[in-house]
């Protein structure tokens, strides 16, 4: 299915997207859409024949747990409401702990890399099949960017994606900016990944901007697309003609003219990179992918299957819980990880958490003023996130109130009113503080 050139739809640029020339389709963050109350701008786009693809961020198909039936039902409902030709998600885990590890469940609030082992692959494949059976349209999965690398991985990114496609028939959403990010942060060669993965399974491609600081590439989606990212797009286009290419922008939105210029630059890159002899490229297929790939790839039969059909969820769960606990709860770094990189990732998670809470609950920075960020970062050090960002905002406000903060009487009255309107008819009492402290102590063990 040909999609053409698209852009990530966000409310902040809704009017600009409607006016941009040559936009064939848009992608929306699935969790930000209410099926019964679609934004008028999206409805107008659909009436013009522009396709809308929901892009999920919270399923966590790479998690050790099976995907939530409710989350899958919500994603399916959005796909139906939007008349979507497909839905997309990420190859990542976003939460860990819980029943499989007999420990509190922790939320990352971010996409974290799946360990590229045969165990993790087997878990991922079963989760993908569950999702495929629950969705009304095809599913495509995106490679993610990462600051950290797991030790002792058994497959490269290209091999991991190839095996995933071969075992499940899932499509791929290849983010060339993420390939570049992993080149800077983890030393992985984008060309090698493109050589190994089944490019004929690509549903579409993401292009996005970022920035490098202190030798670390931050995939911000808030900066212009850089030439190195376009170079990876060139590499991909030399191998295959992708059905769709989409510009992502999530923050610090530029004027419409700049968005239009970036889209034009992406189109020009694709045109210039097209092989002079199209017979030399691998065509996009719609059926089974890579049927001979397994026996051609060195070491393909070296995988260790565990038992008769056993899916090694407990082992994957313990690995993921140890990593996430180190990132958000201050526990020691698991063996084999780069401690410095873990600290960078931990700070990035806390900063993102503060930013997102400020967006979902904008009253908090208004009430707390310049002290909001420092207060939230202090809170996050002792309080890992265990639910969504809205719950996190309530818990943050509650902790401030039980501690008798903020010190300004008027600010404290405003915060109490805000909390009461959303959480409970009475402000938290001192007993709540003891419960919170006990929970924090349990997590820290």
């Amino acid at each position: 299915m040909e999609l053409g050139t698209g852009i990530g739809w966000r409310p902040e640029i809704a009017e600009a997207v409607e006016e941009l020339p040559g936009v064939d389709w848009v992608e929306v963050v699935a969790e930000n859409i209410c099926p019964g109350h679609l934004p008028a701008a999206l409805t107008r786009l659909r009436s013009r024949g522009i396709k809308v693809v929901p892009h999920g961020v919270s399923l966590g198909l790479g998690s050790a747990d099976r995907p939530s039936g409710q989350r899958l039902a919500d994603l399916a409902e959005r796909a139906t409401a939007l008349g979507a030709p497909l839905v997309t998600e990420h190859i990542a885990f976003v939460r860990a702990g819980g029943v499989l590890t007999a420990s509190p469940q922790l939320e990352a609030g971010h996409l974290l890399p799946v360990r590229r082992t045969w165990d993790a692959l087997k878990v991922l494949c079963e989760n993908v099949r569950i999702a495929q059976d629950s969705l009304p349209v095809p599913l495509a999965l995106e490679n993610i960017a990462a600051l950290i690398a797991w030790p002792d991985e058994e497959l490269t990114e290209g091999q991991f994606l190839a095996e995933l496609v071969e075992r499940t028939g899932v499509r791929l959403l290849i983010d060339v900016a993420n390939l570049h990010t992993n080149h800077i942060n983890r030393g992985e060669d984008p060309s090698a990944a493109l050589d190994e993965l089944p490019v004929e399974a690509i549903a579409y491609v993401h292009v996005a901007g970022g920035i490098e600081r202190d030798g670390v590439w931050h995939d911000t989606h808030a900066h212009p697309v850089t030439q190195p990212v376009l170079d990876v797009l060139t590499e991909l286009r030399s191998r295959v003609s992708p059905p769709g290419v989409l510009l992502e922008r999530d923050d610090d939105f530029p004027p419409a003219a700049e968005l239009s210029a970036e889209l034009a630059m992406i189109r020009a890159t694709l045109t210039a990179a097209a092989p002079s002899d199209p017979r030399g490229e691998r065509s996009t297929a719609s059926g089974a992918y890579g049927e001979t790939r397994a026996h051609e790839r060195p070491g393909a039969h070296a995988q260790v299957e565990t038992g008769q059909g056993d899916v090694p969820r407990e082992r994957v769960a313990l690995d993921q819980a140890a990593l996430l606990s180190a990132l958000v709860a201050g526990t020691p770094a698991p063996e084999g990880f780069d401690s410095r990189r873990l600290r960078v990732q931990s700070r990035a998670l806390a900063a993102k958490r503060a930013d997102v809470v400020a967006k979902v609950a904008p009253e908090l920075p208004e009430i707390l003023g310049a002290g909001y960020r420092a207060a939230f970062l202090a809170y996050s050090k002792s309080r890992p996130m265990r639910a969504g960002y809205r719950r996190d905002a309530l818990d943050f406000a509650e902790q401030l109130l039980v501690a008798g903060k903020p010190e300004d009487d008027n600010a404290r009255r405003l915060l109490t009113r805000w909390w009461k309107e959303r959480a409970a008819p009475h402000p938290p009492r001192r007993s709540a503080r003891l419960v919170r402290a006990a929970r924090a102590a349990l997590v820290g063990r």
Side-chain angles (χ1 to χ4, degrees), residues 135-152:
L135 296 170
V137 293
L139 172 68
L141 296 180
E142 178 181 355
N143 59 304
I144 71 163
L147 287 172
I148 55 177
W150 287 88
D152 303 322

Side-chain angles (χ1 to χ4, degrees), residues 362-372 375 396-420 422 427:
E363 300 87 353
L364 294 179
E366 291 174 4
I367 293 170
L368 300 174
Y372 162 76
F396 167 56
E398 180 176 333
Q399 186 182 71
L400 287 178
L401 292 171
V402 297
K405 296 179 180 178
E407 294 179 359
D408 179 81
D409 290 342
N410 184 55
R412 191 163 60 254
R413 281 194 297 270
L414 291 173
L415 186 63
T416 299
R417 184 186 308 152
W418 180 89
W419 187 88
K420 288 171 65 176
R422 291 159 179 80

Side-chain angles (χ1 to χ4, degrees), residues 14 21 28 65 93-94 158 196 201 203 248 309 339 374 387 397 423:
V28 298
D65 287 325
F93 76 97
V94 297
E196 292 176 330
E248 277 194 298
S339 297

Side-chain angles (χ1 to χ4, degrees), residues 328-329 346-347 350-351 353-354 368 371-384 392 395-396 399-400 403 405 440:
V328 303
S346 181
R347 289 194 296 270
R353 191 174 160 192
L368 300 174
Y372 162 76
R373 193 170 187 83
F376 187 89
L377 292 177
Y379 152 82
S380 69
K381 288 181 180 179
S382 62
R383 291 294 309 280
D392 205 24
D395 289 346
F396 167 56
Q399 186 182 71
L400 287 178
K405 296 179 180 178

Side-chain angles (χ1 to χ4, degrees), residues 26 35 71 78 92 99 105 143 191 214 237 275 330 380 395 404 408:
V26 298
R71 292 181 191 274
R78 284 154 176 77
V99 175
Q105 186 173 80
N143 59 304
S191 295
D214 301 324
R237 179 62 188 93
S380 69
D395 289 346
D408 179 81

